[in-house]
Amino acid sequence: MRIAHVTDCYLPQRGGIEMQVHDLAAHQRAAGHDVDIFTATRSDATGDAAPEPDPAWVHRVVRARRPGAHMIACIRAAAPLFAAGDYDAVHVHWSIYSPLGQIAVRSAAAAGIPTVITIHSLWWRIEPLPRVSNLALGWSGLPVLWSAVSHVAAEPIDRMLRISRPTIVLPNGIDLGEWKPASEAGPRIGSEVVLASVMRLAPRKRPMRLLRMARQLKARVPGASLRLVIVGEGPERATLESYISRHAMSSWVDLPGWLTRPEIRDVLHAADVYVAPADLESFGIAALEARCAGLPVVAKARGGVGEFITDGLDGFLARSDDGLVDSLEQLVRSPLLRSSMSAHNRRVPPPLGWAAALARTDEAYAAAAGLAERRAGARRRVAA
């Protein structure tokens, strides 16, 4: 099968969408498909002096830097992208702002190519913009299959666009074995309790709030030895460093920056608890990786982490920041609770491995092909 992925967000930028699209394409290619990626992300997006060369199947179709010019460039690049109809399926990945993806959907649908849209963000954050966009551009009338990475991300799509076909869920995939601890000896035992988190250091991920919660937690359990490791990089680093210095937290809080996947795995295997402070997680791939690494996960109940974390079984889902601190305090005070949750997470993997993800994606492409064929049949009847 010839498959085209279209994404405004891609490597060398780092984030959930960027890595997930890359991994999905790589696994599809390994399964024997002919896969291309079309992206609006420049190869020098991170400012690296010498970015790594792309493989032949990655196509960077937009060069503009300024926002206005970028939008125009996306329209020019995407409009003719699939006019020739050379692909068996086009898979478009949308976030909040996805001009290349939006124009590519229309190009692919006009060419009669089976098209899947996957929403990687929580649209109720931007209501009523999708409603207005749908009224103006008619997204819900296109013969495309709508999907989202979690049920919590899918629900607002159906509500806002009033699509006749319910939005399906295509969860992110993960290499389960890559994150599993090498030893089955059990959770790490020691006097120090290590909390870990992996995120972009940006306001939406709430790293500053995590530091404040960590201070609250330390005040509640003054006799406990705590360490907090926040892996990631982003615009809030300087603010975080200032806060850590101002409150004398440098002896027990680490900001190691961006790490490779093996390095992140080592951090998780040396930790006791994973904490995800964001309010607005459409899925939470980093939390899933931590769960696969055997860590109890503490996160907000409203986001997509609830797709793979059951409250009280393999972690805690809290409704507020105070609830997050309460859950962390339980885990810090009880080695037995940490041990039981960790043992469960090591023993029972979530059903989100790549084999299942690829099978669900193939089913989505087949359903999209049915939609495209029905639209083509209707056009033939009208023409006749």
Side-chain angles (χ1 to χ4, degrees):
M1 179 182 289
R2 290 209 69 203
I3 303 167
H5 290 281
V6 182
T7 176
D8 286 74
C9 308
Y10 192 63
L11 304 175
Q13 292 179 170
R14 292 168 176 169
I17 299 175
E18 292 85 346
M19 291 305 303
Q20 191 61 206
V21 173
H22 174 271
D23 290 347
L24 174 57
H27 279 84
Q28 287 175 328
R29 290 181 67 84
H33 298 296
D34 184 2
V35 183
D36 289 314
I37 291 177
F38 297 90
T39 182
T41 301
R42 295 170 59 100
S43 60
D44 58 353
T46 60
D48 294 342
E52 293 186 9
D54 290 319
W57 45 276
V58 173
H59 311 279
R60 301 185 187 273
V61 296
V62 176
R63 303 294 179 187
R65 290 184 181 275
R66 291 180 290 108
H70 176 85
M71 172 67 82
I72 295 171
C74 285
I75 294 173
R76 288 176 174 171
L81 206 53
F82 304 112
D86 292 336
Y87 289 92
D88 301 304
V90 173
H91 194 160
V92 184
H93 304 266
W94 282 9
S95 181
I96 297 297
Y97 176 70
S98 303
L100 179 69
Q102 290 176 1
I103 305 302
V105 165
R106 291 192 168 279
S107 176
I113 305 174
T115 304
V116 175
I117 303 171
T118 296
I119 306 300
H120 291 258
S121 300
L122 296 177
W123 273 16
W124 45 259
R125 297 169 50 204
I126 56 171
E127 209 169 345
L129 291 180
R131 296 182 191 274
V132 174
S133 178
N134 185 42
L135 288 173
L137 301 174
W139 296 116
S140 59
L142 294 177
V144 302
L145 186 74
W146 289 80
S147 67
V149 294
S150 64
H151 290 88
V152 72
E155 185 274 331
I157 301 170
D158 292 335
R159 187 180 70 250
M160 294 179 196
L161 302 188
R162 292 185 170 87
I163 303 169
S164 58
R165 302 168 299 276
T167 302
I168 69 168
V169 175
L170 286 181
N172 290 332
I174 187 172
D175 186 340
L176 300 174
E178 181 181 8
W179 299 96
K180 186 176 180 180
S183 171
E184 295 294 336
R188 194 183 66 87
I189 298 174
S191 58
E192 185 178 62
V193 179
V194 179
L195 313 179
S197 194
V198 181
M199 68 177 80
R200 177 167 166 75
L201 303 183
R204 187 175 70 84
K205 297 296 185 178
R206 305 178 78 229
M208 179 57 71
R209 193 68 191 95
L210 177 56
L211 289 182
R212 295 192 178 104
M213 286 189 285
R215 285 186 66 215
Q216 288 180 260
L217 178 63
K218 195 167 182 65
R220 288 191 189 186
V221 285
S225 176
L226 292 180
R227 176 166 294 278
L228 172 64
V229 183
I230 306 176
V231 177
E233 196 55 81
E236 286 221 311
R237 168 173 275 279
T239 305
L240 299 177
E241 290 174 335
S242 176
Y243 185 91
I244 291 169
S245 175
R246 188 164 64 251
H247 295 283
M249 300 170 69
S250 58
S251 64
W252 60 281
V253 176
D254 297 329
L255 300 177
W258 284 120
L259 300 178
T260 64
R261 276 180 169 169
E263 290 170 333
I264 293 173
R265 183 181 60 221
D266 290 343
V267 168
L268 297 178
H269 289 173
D272 300 284
V273 178
Y274 185 86
V275 55
D279 289 322
L280 304 172
E281 287 285 11
S282 58
F283 185 79
I285 191 70
L288 176 59
E289 291 165 352
R291 190 239 183 265
C292 292
L295 293 185
V297 173
V298 178
K300 287 293 185 69
R302 192 179 182 187
V305 177
E307 301 279 312
F308 51 85
I309 296 295
T310 300
D311 185 42
L313 178 63
D314 38 23
F316 288 113
L317 298 175
R319 298 191 177 277
S320 66
D321 288 350
D322 287 340
L324 285 178
V325 178
D326 291 341
S327 298
L328 290 170
E329 183 179 356
Q330 286 188 63
L331 289 164
V332 169
R333 290 186 180 277
S334 176
L336 182 60
L337 179 60
R338 297 198 305 270
S339 178
S340 64
M341 285 187 170
S342 180
H344 172 270
N345 290 355
R346 295 194 315 275
R347 185 178 66 254
V348 183
L352 294 168
W354 274 113
L358 291 177
R360 283 190 292 261
T361 303
D362 287 345
E363 291 170 2
Y365 295 166
L371 294 175
E373 178 55 34
R374 282 195 288 275
R375 174 61 65 91
R379 287 175 174 172
R380 287 194 295 268
R381 288 192 295 273
V382 169

